[in-house]
Amino acid sequence: MPHLSDRHGQQDPPAATRVGLIATVASVLSAFFGVQNSRARKRDFTHGSPALFFGVALALTAAFALIILGIVHLLISQAVP
């Protein structure tokens, strides 16, 4: 079955080349640390879903903030007599 063309005449990538959830999480985590390689960046920009990257980045940022908040709350509760 042929792939559907988008408005620019390009074909949708096959499902095997699309960036999955685990690869998206790995890419977002490596971007957080600034260590993503150019091959992964090109793959993400050509085959990745912007909405998925935004959602994963938002969720990981919220999780990071909650972990820091939990650690600070734990340390403060231990320091107060």
Side-chain angles (χ1 to χ4, degrees), residues 33-77:
F33 292 106
V35 295
Q36 188 173 28
N37 62 28
S38 63
R39 185 178 57 161
R41 183 185 48 81
K42 286 179 186 177
R43 180 202 64 210
D44 295 343
F45 277 98
T46 56
H47 302 296
S49 167
L52 182 59
F53 278 98
F54 181 75
V56 168
L58 189 64
L60 290 176
T61 302
F64 177 73
L66 289 173
I67 289 170
I68 296 298
L69 184 66
I71 291 171
V72 169
H73 181 67
L74 179 67
L75 292 174
I76 289 174
S77 68

Side-chain angles (χ1 to χ4, degrees), residues 3-59:
H3 296 287
L4 299 175
S5 295
D6 65 5
R7 62 185 171 171
H8 298 295
Q10 298 172 349
Q11 293 183 344
D12 289 339
T17 62
R18 291 194 178 158
V19 180
L21 182 61
I22 293 173
T24 302
V25 170
S27 288
V28 170
L29 286 173
S30 63
F32 279 175
F33 292 106
V35 295
Q36 188 173 28
N37 62 28
S38 63
R39 185 178 57 161
R41 183 185 48 81
K42 286 179 186 177
R43 180 202 64 210
D44 295 343
F45 277 98
T46 56
H47 302 296
S49 167
L52 182 59
F53 278 98
F54 181 75
V56 168
L58 189 64

